[in-house]
Amino acid sequence: MKEKHKICSVLMALMMGTAAFAGNYNGFKVSVYTRAYEVEKMKDLHWLDSTWNIISSQLKVDKIYLETHRDLLIVSDETLEQAKKFFRDRGIEVGGGITYTINESNSFETFCYSDPEHRKKVQEIAEHTAKHFDDFILDDFFFTSCKSDVEIEAKGNKSWTQYRTELMTEAAVNLVINPSKKVNPKVKIIIKYPNWYDHFQGLGFNLATGPQLFDGVWTGTETRDPASAQHLQNYLSYNIIRYFENLRPGHNFGGWVDSGGSNLGMDRYAEQLWLTFFAKAPEIALFAYNQLIGVRLNPQFHRTPWQGQGTSFDYDEMMKPVNLNGQTVTPTTIARVAGYTLEKIDAFIPELGKPVGIKSYKPFHSLGDDFLQNYLGMIGLPMDMSSEFPTDQKVVLLTEQAKYDDDIIAKIKGQLVKGNDIVITSGLLKAIPEKIADIAELRADKLALVNDFGMAGKADKDLLITQVLYQTNDSWEVVSAGRPLSKGVSGYPMLLRAPYSKGNLYVMTVPEDFGNLYDLPVGILNAFRQTLSKDLDMRIDAPAKVGLFLYDNGTFIVESFLDEPVTIKINTKEGIDKITDLQSGAVIEKAPADNTARPFGSRFRADDKNNVFSVTLPPHSFRVFTR
């Protein structure tokens, strides 16, 4: 019996894998990823000891990943083993890493996976790494952008997307996974997917096969500065974790953040860390060792103008001397920003349940309305993206990506016939109007400038939208827009309802520039929220750039991404009479009933009865509640 119990315990430990917590934190693990350049320097023990002291005196670390290769630099056996011993002697778990780049500074020059010499090198690097580590991560670059003559000939008549996804699936199995496991049968190989998920297939990342082939995935949650090249919205740091978790539940082992965006203030860096854990990632990797020792704190650049208002990230509090590992130090680098932030959120992260949200269907390898769900998250719509069409929801959101499913109309009809709703974007309508016409005869082939939304409010600027055209009395405008709309000469639906069978097909008009979602008045945002939140216990009444994060155990978070304080309303179902702040213990009672008329007119479906709570948020801050 004892032997049987021992075997079960071992199996349980293996199943938990990298998701097991090491003990420094209650709700997650914290790791540091180290580039091959810095691992190579670890052959000098004095350099290693002095730099590790900078990190460990400001940040509690559970695990370190030591990279074996980057840019054709391969770290020697002796240096790897010396570094492993150094960290293990200090109680730190050790894993490996590989970055498959030839020259990162040359537009991230990748290997050419049809070139025999390159294939040989890729396999040698994998085998070298498996020899030293029982788990290792493939950093962002296990893709190919190579268009050498060899690759062009191998591609033939296939599209680049088809060719590369097939090639990288084959390379994963035959050059990395199988050779590594032959060298070390115990090794766990994890692929870290970067943050630009909508475009993966063009470079060979295959989300239909990769999460199943590898032992697990890691998730790039770096959103950095939205003005930089990728233009990623803050909410992606949460949303992408949920999307990858839904690809293979239980095998998304962590998020990954670097110092990008800290030019906007250290609030931006801290926000990426806590959004990663709002999504219930079990671990985070801080990229990278060199940044944790090299990005030095400077209040002139890093202390934001809204500090001093009780913000979730308090720069002045973070800068106070800290005592870790028996020594008191004054914070000097970004390592302390990470340490301070992670220690603060660890107080409540274990209390959160499983994230829930509005189901949005994204077929594999689909394009269209690129990254739109992250903009929607920024206007208070909690997103939950899935690669499978949901069949158990009262409402499903479909963006232009759904056009990649040849059976999408049948799936829409199946939802509507059951008495449920579908919300499609104007982008999907423009993409497949002939197919949508079998449900409702709609057109979307012209544009309009608008700034007036009637009773729903006005915008401070002109916004370019799609003119959604419909057959009178077959479909109905819920909320409209014009220039002007009130006492104007024309108007166009911002939200359109087309009844079909026992359900409704809604068309949500998304501005041509997704960023203009943030310029829409609250009345329009509330119409979107009410229509899309039928499966949820609550929604917010707030301006844009306020997010809502919901969990299945009744906990929830509201976060402001605004530069100034904001007071919002939280609308909940009846029966929720009070909410409690998990950080302060403060109890908020529901507001007195408001019997004023609904703002969207008689054609809008009556709302569920609800209770309302008023909450104030400091700039760039969150509050955590339970009901």
Side-chain angles (χ1 to χ4, degrees):
M1 180 65 81
K2 289 183 178 179
E3 187 64 24
K4 182 178 179 180
H5 178 74
K6 181 178 180 181
I7 292 172
C8 290
S9 298
V10 172
L11 288 174
M12 182 64 70
L14 289 174
M15 289 172 62
M16 292 179 68
T18 56
F21 302 144
N24 279 327
Y25 302 87
N26 295 311
F28 45 78
K29 286 174 63 173
V30 173
S31 304
V32 172
Y33 189 88
T34 314
R35 303 182 308 167
Y37 298 122
E38 284 68 52
V39 179
E40 174 72 10
K41 293 179 180 179
M42 290 178 180
K43 61 188 176 185
D44 180 348
L45 281 174
H46 175 72
W47 182 89
L48 173 54
D49 184 65
S50 60
T51 54
W52 178 244
N53 186 58
I54 294 173
I55 296 173
S56 62
S57 64
Q58 301 180 87
L59 166 70
K60 293 181 288 186
V61 178
D62 299 311
K63 187 169 184 176
I64 190 159
Y65 292 92
L66 303 175
E67 194 174 76
T68 62
H69 170 271
R70 180 180 294 246
D71 295 352
L72 300 183
L73 168 62
I74 299 177
V75 181
S76 69
D77 295 335
E78 295 76 17
T79 299
L80 289 172
E81 288 302 313
Q82 176 169 283
K84 283 169 57 180
K85 183 178 186 307
F86 176 89
F87 289 109
R88 285 176 175 168
D89 286 348
R90 287 154 180 78
I92 307 297
E93 296 179 57
V94 183
I98 300 173
T99 293
Y100 276 118
T101 50
I102 290 177
N103 185 352
E104 193 174 353
S105 64
N106 182 27
S107 300
F108 303 131
E109 182 182 354
T110 65
F111 285 84
C112 301
Y113 286 85
S114 287
D115 185 307
E117 290 301 313
H118 285 204
R119 289 174 65 86
K120 180 181 178 182
K121 179 62 70 175
V122 167
Q123 181 172 333
E124 289 175 353
I125 293 165
E127 292 170 337
H128 174 61
T129 307
K131 182 172 63 175
H132 291 281
F133 302 99
D134 287 340
D135 66 285
F136 65 84
I137 297 174
L138 304 183
D139 191 6
D140 280 3
F141 301 98
F142 191 62
F143 65 82
T144 182
S145 57
C146 181
K147 289 187 177 178
S148 68
D149 292 341
V150 171
E151 299 289 1
I152 292 171
E153 182 179 357
K155 168 184 171 293
N157 294 324
K158 297 178 181 178
S159 69
W160 281 108
T161 289
Q162 180 186 359
Y163 169 66
R164 285 171 169 171
T165 52
E166 292 174 356
L167 174 64
M168 294 309 296
T169 298
E170 179 275 330
V173 174
N174 294 324
L175 303 183
V176 178
I177 297 173
N178 288 348
S180 295
K181 291 185 181 289
K182 186 175 181 180
V183 170
N184 180 0
K186 298 184 298 181
V187 72
K188 304 296 182 187
I189 305 168
I190 302 157
I191 185 167
K192 184 247 174 170
Y193 288 123
N195 46 24
W196 39 276
Y197 62 87
D198 258 340
H199 304 154
F200 276 179
Q201 60 276 6
L203 283 298
F205 281 127
N206 190 338
L207 292 184
T209 61
Q212 312 302 322
L213 290 173
F214 289 94
D215 294 298
V217 305
W218 274 68
T219 305
T221 54
E222 322 98 314
T223 44
R224 307 187 182 104
D225 182 350
S228 61
Q230 294 173 318
H231 307 295
L232 301 175
Q233 303 305 293
N234 311 37
Y235 188 83
L236 181 143
S237 292
Y238 168 91
N239 189 40
I240 191 172
I241 287 276
R242 298 307 310 152
Y243 175 44
F244 289 166
E245 171 66 14
N246 288 336
L247 295 175
R248 188 184 178 193
H251 289 79
N252 187 351
F253 293 152
W256 181 295
V257 172
D258 61 30
S259 63
S262 55
N263 58 295
L264 300 177
M266 282 302 166
D267 309 57
R268 180 79 271 271
Y269 177 62
E271 180 183 70
Q272 295 171 75
L273 301 178
W274 68 54
L275 284 171
T276 300
F277 285 123
F278 287 1
K280 294 308 295 285
E283 186 174 346
I284 196 165
L286 303 175
F287 186 95
Y289 195 97
N290 64 308
Q291 294 180 2
L292 294 173
I293 63 175
V295 179
R296 302 192 68 81
L297 299 173
N298 184 335
Q300 182 179 353
F301 299 107
H302 295 147
R303 189 183 188 279
T304 53
W306 49 81
Q307 285 294 312
Q309 300 183 60
T311 50
S312 293
F313 175 78
D314 186 325
Y315 188 92
D316 299 328
E317 184 181 45
M318 181 273 299
M319 286 297 296
K320 293 178 179 178
V322 60
N323 189 310
L324 295 178
N325 301 322
Q327 57 177 319
T328 301
V329 300
T330 298
T332 57
T333 75
I334 200 171
R336 185 57 204 148
V337 179
Y340 167 82
T341 303
L342 297 169
E343 291 157 20
K344 186 170 184 178
I345 66 172
D346 192 40
F348 64 82
I349 290 295
E351 302 300 317
L352 305 177
K354 178 183 176 182
V356 296
I358 299 162
K359 296 292 186 181
S360 179
Y361 172 48
K362 174 178 168 55
F364 288 120
H365 310 329
S366 58
L367 286 169
D369 282 341
D370 294 2
F371 304 106
L372 174 59
Q373 288 89 343
N374 301 303
Y375 291 85
L376 299 180
M378 295 287 287
I379 62 169
L381 294 168
M383 291 286 102
D384 194 18
M385 296 168 59
S386 172
S387 59
E388 296 184 1
F389 187 93
T391 58
D392 59 348
Q393 300 291 298
K394 295 177 184 177
V395 60
V396 174
L397 170 66
L398 301 178
T399 70
E400 187 185 348
Q401 297 160 345
K403 70 185 180 184
Y404 279 74
D405 185 338
D406 293 335
D407 297 323
I408 191 59
I409 296 302
K411 292 174 180 176
I412 291 175
K413 288 180 177 178
Q415 173 82 350
L416 299 176
V417 167
K418 289 191 295 184
N420 298 321
D421 295 340
I422 291 283
V423 177
I424 68 171
T425 63
S426 47
L428 179 59
L429 174 60
K430 285 192 289 186
I432 55 170
E434 298 84 1
K435 293 183 178 180
I436 296 295
D438 199 36
I439 298 170
E441 293 175 325
L442 308 172
R443 292 170 290 144
D445 53 5
K446 296 181 180 179
L447 301 175
L449 281 174
V450 300
N451 57 24
D452 184 2
F453 304 86
M455 289 187 294
K458 292 185 178 181
D460 294 331
K461 62 178 70 172
D462 290 342
L463 312 179
L464 188 64
I465 66 166
T466 297
Q467 295 183 22
V468 175
L469 306 176
Y470 58 96
Q471 307 285 14
T472 299
N473 290 334
D474 184 65
S475 301
W476 300 90
E477 294 186 35
V478 178
V479 284
S480 308
R483 185 172 172 264
L485 178 66
S486 306
K487 300 181 180 180
V489 294
S490 59
Y492 314 98
M494 290 299 295
L495 186 66
L496 182 81
R497 182 175 67 89
Y500 183 91
S501 184
K502 295 180 285 296
N504 291 281
L505 175 75
Y506 289 92
V507 181
M508 180 171 66
T509 300
V510 179
E512 294 297 293
D513 177 352
F514 295 166
N516 284 148
L517 283 165
Y518 307 153
D519 299 309
L520 292 174
V522 173
I524 295 295
L525 301 181
N526 283 343
F528 292 166
R529 293 163 182 156
Q530 182 174 336
T531 302
L532 280 160
S533 298
K534 295 182 175 68
D535 292 284
L536 309 177
D537 288 341
M538 64 183 65
R539 65 178 188 274
I540 59 172
D541 177 347
K545 293 192 176 181
V546 177
L548 173 65
F549 306 87
L550 299 174
Y551 303 88
D552 65 357
N553 65 347
T555 55
F556 64 96
I557 300 172
V558 284
E559 177 176 1
S560 172
F561 303 97
L562 296 166
D563 293 350
E564 60 280 332
V566 62
T567 297
I568 69 169
K569 294 179 180 178
I570 300 170
N571 289 15
T572 73
K573 290 185 176 180
E574 276 194 327
I576 303 175
D577 297 324
K578 64 180 180 180
I579 58 176
T580 302
D581 189 312
L582 280 179
Q583 293 173 287
S584 69
V587 176
I588 300 176
E589 303 288 345
K590 67 179 181 180
D594 183 357
N595 296 317
T596 56
R598 287 178 285 109
F600 305 126
S602 60
R603 297 191 186 105
F604 195 75
R605 180 185 293 181
D607 192 12
D608 293 333
K609 293 180 179 179
N610 59 77
N611 292 332
V612 178
F613 301 86
S614 182
V615 171
T616 298
L617 297 167
H620 296 275
S621 296
F622 60 83
R623 293 183 67 178
V624 189
F625 295 96
T626 187
R627 56 182 176 83

